[in-house]
Amino acid sequence: MTPRIPRRSLLLAGLAPLGACSRPPRALDVQWLGPDPERGHRLRTTPPTGQARARRTEVLVLGAGVAGLSAARALRAAGRQVTVLELDSAPGGHSRAGLVGGLPCPLGAHYLPQPGPQLPELQDLLVEWGAAERRNGVWRIQEDRGVHSPAERRFDGTAWQPGLLPAPPDPQALAQHRRFAQQVAEAQRLGFALPTHRAAFGPTHRALDAQTFDAWLDTQGLTEPGLRWYLDYCCRDDYGAGSALVSAWAGLHYFASRHGFHVAGDDDEPDARPPITAPQGNGWLVERLAAPLQEALITDRVGLQLDVERSGVRLRCWSPEGLEDWHAASVVLAVPLFVAQRLWRSPPAALQAARLQRAPWLVANLLLEGPPLPRIGAPLAWDNVIQHSPTLGYVNAQHQSLDPRPGPQVWTLYWALPAAERPALLSRSASDWAARVLATLTPTHPDLPERLQQLRLTRWGHAMAIPTPGARGQAALVALRQLQGRVRIAHADLAAYSVFEEAFMAGLAAAQDLLHSS
């Protein structure tokens, strides 16, 4: 993948003081990689006028993220003529992949939890792609697609510990962990699903949605520091914001919609369902979704204005060759809701009413000539988390390789930033952000600067919808899911949070609605 954004090698200022480096400071190759934020910001300006080239298709899908690709796949399977327009130079959205030093790595999402029986559509897709099988009625992933052991480790300030959940330090702490496990089990009986709309949303759900996760945990007397750190980490990982910001519904949904909560140190073994991944993260999923589209996928297109007309739908967009007017019988808007609000000139009331906060993310891919010196404790794992770091830790993109020989590897570091950092994410230089990234890693890996060869940074200014209190229960989101007419909304935003499963199912549902209404 070759992003079409300007790039330059930069001298990383302050490299020597960040680590115990025995060699003199050297020029480090630091570059931005991935989407150019200025391209999306064209929507902020008045749409340009002038002559536009007229183009036609039967169904137009705007956005080649997971939801858009899922919708296009279902529509093409039904025999419809589909054209997909994508803002960036490559499809995939926040699940895109890239190459650093010739090695594949994620630029965004890096794993998919194994889908349960509530998601037969996704299970079927993974079987179709050879990533899973059904044998004697039992669905299971292929061994090479699951995360290899060791899967996770956590640096507690002294040593690397296996797993992410700190073991309860005493019987009182253990009792709290077990009580939270019971609360999750009760939530599962109440009804939580993935996708979320497949479970009822009743008064108890609304009460959970009305308060923060932290407030709910306090009322339950769940205050043990290790448990609270872990639950906050899980929220930052899935929602881009911690337990003080997301709703109690979201905090319980993380566990209750999947495989529950296992207490570290208990004798019973947790359900062994390793996440599904590849060196390029979820890039391998979107690559397969996009592959059949070929010429029907058109990149480098910025949607400017959408109008619903008597004879169909017209979308004006910018292309490198000039303005284009796309005419279609129907449109799937597979873009975030805040983009759809700017794009649709006369939007329905539900779209105008929808409100979601969004989390900015920084993803850093570090090319190392070889693994750093090991620290005491658990060995290098797939997911490596430094406890109490502002980042979410790093994933070793080469962990799935079966080659035991040490060699070059790429570490992908994830950083869910506070909303106040969004302007700095756009304005500060790549070298500034590289220095911040290294400052979070070198206390744990002092020799990292010596082994680091390249550093690639990806900016996602509006990466994830945050399920803050009240977000999930918005009537506007229900109305948008049921929208009729020539335009369908297909995005994970309809679930009030952003994960692959919700986006995939939103795209599939939008396609099915269009097919059934025609």
Side-chain angles (χ1 to χ4, degrees):
M1 172 184 311
T2 306
R4 302 179 184 177
I5 61 175
R7 56 181 64 201
R8 56 195 174 99
S9 296
L10 301 164
L11 178 65
L12 183 60
L15 178 61
L18 290 174
C21 187
S22 59
R23 293 184 295 189
R26 58 184 172 82
L28 177 64
D29 183 8
V30 179
Q31 300 173 12
W32 293 115
L33 176 64
D36 179 3
E38 292 304 322
R39 181 176 294 177
H41 289 165
R42 285 178 181 272
L43 261 177
R44 294 178 173 177
T45 63
T46 302
T49 59
Q51 189 68 28
R53 176 189 176 194
R55 305 196 65 176
R56 296 187 179 275
T57 188
E58 182 180 1
V59 183
L60 185 66
V61 177
L62 184 63
V66 173
L69 295 175
S70 172
R73 179 179 181 273
L75 291 164
R76 282 172 62 94
R80 298 301 177 89
Q81 180 199 19
V82 180
T83 301
V84 181
L85 303 183
E86 166 56 30
L87 170 73
D88 292 319
S89 57
H94 300 144
S95 291
R96 278 178 58 177
L99 291 173
V100 175
L103 298 175
C105 56
L107 303 185
H110 63 284
Y111 72 97
L112 174 68
Q114 290 193 37
Q118 292 171 319
L119 270 172
E121 300 89 347
L122 189 50
Q123 287 187 341
D124 289 344
L125 184 68
L126 294 169
V127 170
E128 177 185 329
W129 288 344
E133 64 177 356
R134 278 195 173 89
R135 183 176 297 180
N136 300 324
V138 177
W139 183 92
R140 63 182 183 185
I141 64 169
Q142 299 290 0
E143 186 176 353
D144 63 336
R145 286 298 177 185
V147 170
H148 299 163
S149 182
E152 299 170 332
R153 66 174 182 167
R154 168 183 51 88
F155 190 74
D156 64 3
T158 303
W160 286 102
Q161 306 294 340
L164 299 186
L165 176 61
D170 53 53
Q172 290 77 19
L174 178 60
Q176 288 197 31
H177 288 224
R178 287 174 174 164
R179 194 158 71 250
F180 180 71
Q182 292 171 356
Q183 295 280 9
V184 171
E186 291 178 10
Q188 289 177 314
R189 289 189 289 269
L190 173 67
F192 282 79
L194 193 61
T196 178
H197 72 272
R198 287 187 171 167
F201 194 76
T204 304
H205 296 91
R206 292 188 181 278
L208 291 167
D209 188 46
Q211 58 187 307
T212 66
F213 194 26
D214 267 0
W216 181 85
L217 290 167
D218 288 342
T219 62
Q220 303 301 314
L222 299 171
T223 58
E224 196 277 311
L227 176 65
R228 292 296 286 264
W229 171 83
Y230 175 70
L231 297 180
D232 180 76
Y233 172 85
C234 290
C235 291
R236 291 192 295 132
D237 181 51
D238 235 30
Y239 306 131
S243 53
L245 291 178
V246 308
S247 70
W249 173 87
L252 288 169
H253 177 78
Y254 179 94
F255 301 97
S257 65
R258 292 178 174 136
H259 311 304
F261 177 83
H262 174 76
V263 178
D266 268 4
D267 292 335
D268 60 307
E269 289 295 325
D271 192 3
R273 300 185 190 181
I276 302 169
T277 192
Q280 65 269 49
N282 283 4
W284 77 275
L285 294 165
V286 296
E287 288 163 7
R288 284 159 177 76
L289 282 172
L293 293 172
Q294 298 181 12
E295 71 283 352
L297 172 61
I298 303 175
T299 60
D300 303 304
R301 296 299 187 272
V302 182
L304 299 174
Q305 183 171 293
L306 176 71
D307 291 281
V308 179
E309 302 172 338
R310 180 176 301 177
S311 59
V313 184
R314 179 172 65 89
L315 175 72
R316 171 154 290 195
C317 71
W318 172 90
S319 78
E321 293 76 35
L323 293 177
E324 296 177 341
D325 273 343
W326 282 88
H327 298 265
S330 52
V331 166
V332 176
L333 281 181
V335 296
L337 294 185
F338 79 95
V339 175
Q341 288 166 343
R342 288 179 176 269
L343 185 66
W344 199 338
R345 187 160 65 167
S346 299
L351 181 57
Q352 292 176 307
R355 292 292 182 269
L356 293 171
Q357 296 183 35
R358 308 197 73 85
W361 282 69
L362 177 74
V363 180
N365 279 288
L366 297 84
L367 176 66
L368 281 62
E369 63 185 9
L373 295 173
R375 294 289 293 266
I376 186 172
L380 182 67
W382 170 68
D383 193 12
N384 306 267
V385 174
I386 302 171
Q387 196 167 351
H388 305 303
S389 168
T391 76
L392 289 164
Y394 59 89
V395 170
N396 178 9
Q398 276 61 60
H399 183 75
Q400 294 300 97
S401 171
L402 298 179
D403 189 346
R405 297 171 297 178
Q409 55 187 235
V410 175
W411 288 4
T412 306
L413 178 135
Y414 293 89
W415 197 336
L417 296 163
E421 292 266 31
R422 184 178 290 114
L425 187 60
L426 180 65
S427 62
R428 292 182 63 171
S429 68
S431 59
D432 287 343
W433 281 106
R436 292 186 65 179
V437 166
L438 288 179
T440 71
L441 290 174
T442 48
T444 309
H445 300 290
D447 63 326
L448 180 65
E450 293 184 70
R451 300 179 184 276
L452 186 60
Q453 297 181 317
Q454 296 179 15
L455 204 157
R456 298 291 181 264
L457 298 162
T458 303
R459 293 174 285 193
W460 301 107
H462 308 273
M464 305 177 74
I466 303 173
T468 54
R472 170 60 179 84
Q474 292 182 77
L477 299 185
V478 178
L480 290 175
R481 194 179 291 278
Q482 300 170 348
L483 196 65
Q484 299 297 306
R486 295 184 180 276
V487 180
R488 292 295 189 278
I489 304 288
H491 200 272
D493 279 4
L494 297 178
Y497 73 110
S498 306
V499 295
F500 183 97
E501 300 96 319
E502 295 285 2
F504 174 79
M505 291 304 299
L508 183 59
Q512 291 173 340
D513 284 350
L514 279 179
L515 293 171
H516 292 158
S517 65
S518 59

